[in-house]
Amino acid sequence: DSSAQKIAVEITDDGCQPTDLKATSGPATFTVSNTSSDVNNEFEILDGALILGERENLVAGLSGDVSVNLDPGTYDIVCGNPGNREPTGRLKVTGQKVAATTNPGLGKAATEYAAYVVRQSNILEARTAAFVAAVKAGDVPLAKQLYETSRIPYEKIEPVAESFGSLDPAIDARENDVAQGDPWTGYHPLEKALWVTGLTAADNQLADQLLANVRRLQARVKGNTYDPVQLANGAVELLNEVSQSKITGEEERYSHVDLTTFK
């Protein structure tokens, strides 16, 4: 949106510069740059646990844009890294609420996508239940097969993963995304057990927790609504992630089913 307000933010070792941002309600584009920080590389706008907009993998020397539609209020800003999402600043938005779009076609598309997310979450629950059953039965060949297929519906709805709040890292975090001392849960510790370290009794609990979190996600998305800017942001962020980090094999680092994830 060429009429959107433009706000410049720099990622530093200490967080965001400036620390406190101001904006008016409506469309806004944050131009985020990282001149020299090797400590931090992500920018997020948080409404509680909900990520309104984010830009990842901005290593030193890179910059990128984040477009959002802002409602009046005060939001947390994070200029951090995957293991640290503690707020480093604030964003204060003034004015009256502005609709994300008045285009009926875009509104219809967002509504249809919400229904798509619900359908995919139902498939995700069914496939994850089968995967978990195979893990708990100790059937490693079947569990490996089901690991790959059970993740497909999750990857399909990842453009709106920021709306999942803490369920996204609980389900999909890689080992290096988890802060020291925090538990590592979800698909990927089970992936490591299946392909590298071997299943143990402790993995049964991890499997049960994964299924419980997927079922929480299944319930949560039934009430979610999305705006077109959010959907566009999520799609662009995934394209960036594929080209900058997923392409290295960092996500499916033990199973090496990266091409399925890309597809």
Side-chain angles (χ1 to χ4, degrees):
D1 186 344
S2 59
S3 65
Q5 58 196 308
K6 306 294 193 297
I7 302 169
V9 181
E10 182 180 356
I11 296 175
T12 71
D13 286 351
D14 297 323
C16 295
Q17 187 60 241
T19 303
D20 294 313
L21 304 173
K22 295 181 180 180
T24 55
S25 55
T29 297
F30 294 80
T31 298
V32 186
S33 60
N34 181 355
T35 303
S36 60
S37 178
D38 292 324
V39 176
N40 296 317
N41 57 40
E42 293 189 356
F43 171 79
E44 296 177 341
I45 305 168
L46 300 178
D47 183 5
L50 177 64
I51 302 173
L52 299 181
E54 67 178 336
R55 188 68 168 83
E56 299 179 318
N57 302 306
L58 288 177
V59 297
L62 294 184
S63 62
D65 290 343
V66 179
S67 296
V68 295
N69 191 72
L70 296 170
D71 289 339
T74 301
Y75 304 92
D76 288 325
I77 297 294
V78 176
C79 286
N81 58 67
N84 180 16
R85 287 187 167 175
E86 290 298 319
T88 58
R90 297 289 186 272
L91 167 65
K92 185 174 182 180
V93 180
T94 58
Q96 302 297 314
K97 185 171 182 176
V98 179
T101 179
T102 56
N103 183 314
L106 291 177
K108 180 174 181 287
T111 299
E112 290 175 348
Y113 193 82
Y116 171 81
V117 172
V118 170
R119 292 195 300 272
Q120 290 300 318
S121 72
N122 292 338
I123 297 171
L124 174 67
E125 190 278 335
R127 291 187 182 181
T128 302
F131 168 63
V132 165
V135 168
K136 295 178 70 173
D139 190 337
V140 172
L142 179 60
K144 285 182 173 181
Q145 177 187 339
L146 295 178
Y147 169 84
E148 181 174 4
T149 56
S150 68
R151 286 183 45 72
I152 290 172
Y154 190 84
E155 294 294 327
K156 285 184 175 182
I157 60 178
E158 203 171 9
V160 294
E162 71 273 10
S163 69
F164 305 159
S166 61
L167 286 173
D168 180 40
I171 291 170
D172 198 39
R174 271 76 90 191
E175 191 167 12
N176 54 288
D177 292 339
V178 180
Q180 188 172 4
D182 288 349
W184 182 29
T185 63
Y187 283 107
H188 294 297
L190 293 171
E191 175 199 10
K192 184 176 183 178
L194 286 168
W195 270 271
V196 179
T197 59
L199 290 174
T200 68
D203 293 313
N204 289 345
Q205 183 178 352
L206 269 177
D208 285 337
Q209 188 173 7
L210 170 62
L211 183 55
N213 283 330
V214 164
R215 285 172 173 165
R216 290 187 187 99
L217 178 63
Q218 182 186 28
R220 179 172 186 154
V221 299
K222 291 177 181 177
N224 278 5
T225 59
Y226 312 100
D227 66 59
V229 172
Q230 180 184 11
L231 299 182
N233 276 340
V236 170
E237 185 60 37
L238 274 182
L239 289 170
N240 290 333
E241 188 179 341
V242 167
S243 66
Q244 294 173 10
S245 62
K246 286 184 189 291
I247 194 69
T248 68
E250 59 83 29
E251 180 162 18
E252 308 294 355
R253 63 188 65 174
Y254 309 113
S255 60
H256 305 300
V257 295
D258 304 275
L259 293 181
T260 296
T261 301
F262 295 169
K263 182 179 179 181

